[in-house]
Amino acid sequence: PLSLRRRQLREAARRTRLDLDREVEPVRLFEFAESLAEQLLPLEQAAIDGALPTRIVHNDAKLDNLLFDAAGRAVCVVDLDTVMPGIAHYDIGDSLRTLVPDRVEDDPDAEGIELDMERHGAYLEGYLERADLEPHERRMLPYAAPYMACIMGVRFLADHLAGNVYYRTARPGQNLDRARNQLILARKFLHAAPL
């Protein structure tokens, strides 16, 4: 949940003892993440309160974790080590945060990210056609994509502050770019489908 990831980010920031004069970007992203997270906590609170049913979820529901046949049809889900109890919004949000942006996750030009709202609508329509979600789950759907994008932004930022120990990086600042992108993506999802 987001509250756990925020604690991890705060701990990473505390351990790093950011130099406010030299490291303006991580500090700015930390404050941005905190602001976004406050707007997204109703989803987590609804889960804690039992207003959202616990389901078995993949927890890494993205296109990369589907295998397709030669005709382009999805034939199975892979990377099942992340499967556990959760809320449907985790999988819906993760899918949307990876399917809807027009940029790769670590693109350095985060401000230019655009959302393909046609793809967003098609995904939700297809999902809801097959899923048996309760009315309150449906009402909370606008939180799914920004919530998961915020979680990922917080995780990437925490890893950057910790010295890139969890997510592999191919270049300096890659996790910082990932964090910025996901946080901007969360903000754009919030504006595209206001809560």
Side-chain angles (χ1 to χ4, degrees):
L2 185 52
S3 57
L4 168 68
R5 299 306 181 178
R6 287 173 81 187
R7 284 194 302 274
Q8 292 170 339
L9 174 58
R10 289 172 184 155
E11 179 62 20
R14 186 187 64 73
R15 285 186 183 172
T16 305
R17 293 185 187 90
L18 289 175
D19 180 341
L20 297 180
D21 294 326
R22 291 183 353 175
E23 301 196 55
V24 174
E25 180 72 354
V27 171
R28 188 182 70 77
L29 288 177
F30 179 89
E31 292 168 355
F32 185 27
E34 287 289 313
S35 168
L36 284 169
E38 287 299 317
Q39 297 174 64
L40 298 167
L41 286 178
L43 179 65
E44 188 170 314
Q45 194 59 51
I48 290 167
D49 293 344
L52 300 173
T54 301
R55 301 178 179 277
I56 299 300
V57 294
H58 188 278
N59 284 305
D60 196 11
K62 56 188 179 188
L63 199 57
D64 292 351
N65 287 330
L66 288 175
L67 288 182
F68 293 88
D69 65 15
R73 292 181 303 257
V75 293
C76 73
V77 178
V78 297
D79 198 14
L80 300 177
D81 63 312
T82 58
V83 173
M84 64 183 74
I87 58 174
H89 301 75
Y90 296 163
D91 284 353
I92 295 167
D94 217 16
S95 294
L96 289 172
R97 83 167 182 87
T98 57
L99 289 171
V100 173
D102 69 344
R103 308 271 170 106
V104 294
E105 190 171 70
D106 61 351
D107 190 314
D109 182 20
E111 288 296 336
I113 294 173
E114 295 294 330
L115 303 180
D116 183 338
M117 295 311 288
E118 191 172 311
R119 188 179 296 164
H120 182 281
Y123 174 85
L124 282 178
E125 183 181 325
Y127 188 95
L128 294 173
E129 207 173 89
R130 297 285 186 165
D132 185 24
L133 296 186
E134 295 177 4
H136 191 59
E137 286 179 291
R138 288 175 180 260
R139 283 192 296 277
M140 298 297 282
L141 283 176
Y143 284 97
Y147 183 87
M148 292 308 296
C150 187
I151 279 181
M152 291 309 299
V154 166
R155 290 183 71 189
F156 287 134
L157 182 56
D159 197 44
H160 170 78
L161 295 175
N164 305 310
V165 294
Y166 186 78
Y167 294 106
R168 261 183 269 156
T169 59
R171 59 179 169 76
Q174 187 173 11
N175 274 332
L176 198 59
D177 287 340
R178 289 170 172 156
R180 184 183 321 102
N181 284 2
Q182 292 303 300
L183 295 173
I184 288 172
L185 193 56
R187 182 186 67 206
K188 290 194 177 211
F189 274 120
L190 281 169
H191 288 21
L195 307 176

